[in-house]
């Protein structure tokens, strides 16, 4: 039995499955900086101020990106239950941590694409290995751009040698500044190399972050 209440026409057990799926979304340091609040006809998504990362993410940008990922997987999970989600995005000055409210928008089966994405959710893993040198095809780039457009975003592909070199230079500079900051290294230490007793953070088994950015982005 579950103590999770029913909402959006789903049983408590179904809601528990939906929230567990949404909670598998990726986040910086696997901090999982979100909260779900259930009401009879709505699931609210909030940023969790207790899981902020003030050293590495002082403006909460990464936190909101993580909450966006949680919202995406929540929507996928609802599609998997044949619920068409209707999403209201905020901010609300009276509730600054409220990110979105999701309501029942009718019954509709998940598309094959949504089913494929839903099956991929539990397969996500932290991977700190260097990228391979396999070329990204134009078809793959098109699919990535289309996925971004579907979510109201724009994907900019950095493909010129000069731009790639500039990105590499900025990444190295940013990394050097971060590791020189004791507050950053303390925060990193508290969220990485975690043991099996924790369900958040980055487990020690996946390895530590590299000492410097890895992978060839262009001329040094």
């Amino acid at each position: 039995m579950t103590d999770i209440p029913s909402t959006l026409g789903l049983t408590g057990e179904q809601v528990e499955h939906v929230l567990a799926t949404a909670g598998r979304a990726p986040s910086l340091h696997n901090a999982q900086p979100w909260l779900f609040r259930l009401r009879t006809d709505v699931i609210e998504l909030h940023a969790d101020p207790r899981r902020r990362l003030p050293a590495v993410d002082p403006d909460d940008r990464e936190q909101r990106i993580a909450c966006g990922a949680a919202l995406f997987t929540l929507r996928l999970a609802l599609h998997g239950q044949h619920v068409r989600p209707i999403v209201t995005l905020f901010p609300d000055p009276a509730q600054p941590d409220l990110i979105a409210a999701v309501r029942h928008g009718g019954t509709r089966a998940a598309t094959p694409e949504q089913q494929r994405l839903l099956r991929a959710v539990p397969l996500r893993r932290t991977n700190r290995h260097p990228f391979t040198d396999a070329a990204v095809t134009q078809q793959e780039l098109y699919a990535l751009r289309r996925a971004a457009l579907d979510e109201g975003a724009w994907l900019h592909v950095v493909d010129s040698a000069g731009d790639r070199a500039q990105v590499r230079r900025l990444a190295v500079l940013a990394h050097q500044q971060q590791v020189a900051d004791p507050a950053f290294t303390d925060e990193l230490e508290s969220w990485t190399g975690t043991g099996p007793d924790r369900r958040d953070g980055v487990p020690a088994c996946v390895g530590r972050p590299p000492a410097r950015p890895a992978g060839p982005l262009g001329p040094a």
Side-chain angles (χ1 to χ4, degrees):
M1 296 294 291
T2 177
D3 294 328
I4 296 179
S6 61
T7 186
L8 305 189
L10 301 175
T11 66
E13 184 176 357
Q14 289 172 320
V15 174
E16 183 178 29
H17 175 74
V18 163
L19 296 183
T21 301
R24 290 180 177 269
S27 57
L28 183 62
H29 296 342
N30 194 27
Q32 303 170 24
W34 48 68
L35 288 170
F36 297 103
R37 291 181 178 163
L38 305 179
R39 305 187 190 282
T40 303
D41 59 351
V42 64
I43 299 176
E44 292 181 350
L45 170 64
H46 295 253
D48 187 346
R50 300 167 300 177
R51 291 177 171 269
R52 291 187 64 245
L53 299 169
V56 69
D57 186 30
D59 298 324
D60 295 335
R61 180 177 182 272
E62 292 283 352
Q63 184 184 51
R64 289 194 169 266
I65 291 173
C67 287
L71 177 60
F72 184 84
T73 49
L74 174 65
R75 288 163 48 207
L76 275 180
L78 288 170
H79 280 298
Q81 298 291 336
H82 291 194
V83 174
R84 177 176 176 265
I86 297 296
V87 178
T88 303
L89 296 176
F90 293 90
D92 178 354
Q95 302 180 81
D97 291 325
L98 178 58
I99 302 293
V102 182
R103 293 178 172 83
H104 198 299
T107 301
R108 186 172 65 185
T111 66
E113 173 82 355
Q114 289 165 343
Q115 292 173 357
R116 183 180 66 82
L117 290 172
L118 193 55
R119 288 193 298 269
V121 171
L123 304 179
R124 182 187 68 82
R125 295 291 185 272
T126 297
N127 181 0
R128 296 192 183 278
H129 296 290
F131 294 121
T132 69
D133 57 1
V136 180
T137 67
Q138 287 299 316
Q139 183 178 6
E140 290 166 337
L141 288 175
Y142 173 79
L144 290 169
R145 288 193 178 101
R146 189 201 67 187
L149 288 172
D150 287 346
E151 294 302 311
W154 171 256
L155 174 66
H156 175 71
V157 178
V158 180
D159 51 9
S160 75
D163 287 346
R164 287 160 66 93
Q166 179 74 343
V167 169
R168 182 183 189 279
R169 185 187 70 79
L170 292 173
V172 170
L173 178 62
H175 184 75
Q176 290 171 342
Q177 291 178 348
Q178 284 184 325
V179 297
D181 180 1
F184 172 84
T185 55
D186 288 347
E187 190 173 85
L188 181 66
E189 184 71 22
S190 68
W191 284 98
T192 58
T194 60
D197 56 319
R198 281 183 59 172
R199 300 184 65 179
D200 58 1
V202 181
C205 61
V206 304
R208 292 285 186 162
R212 65 195 307 272
L217 291 176

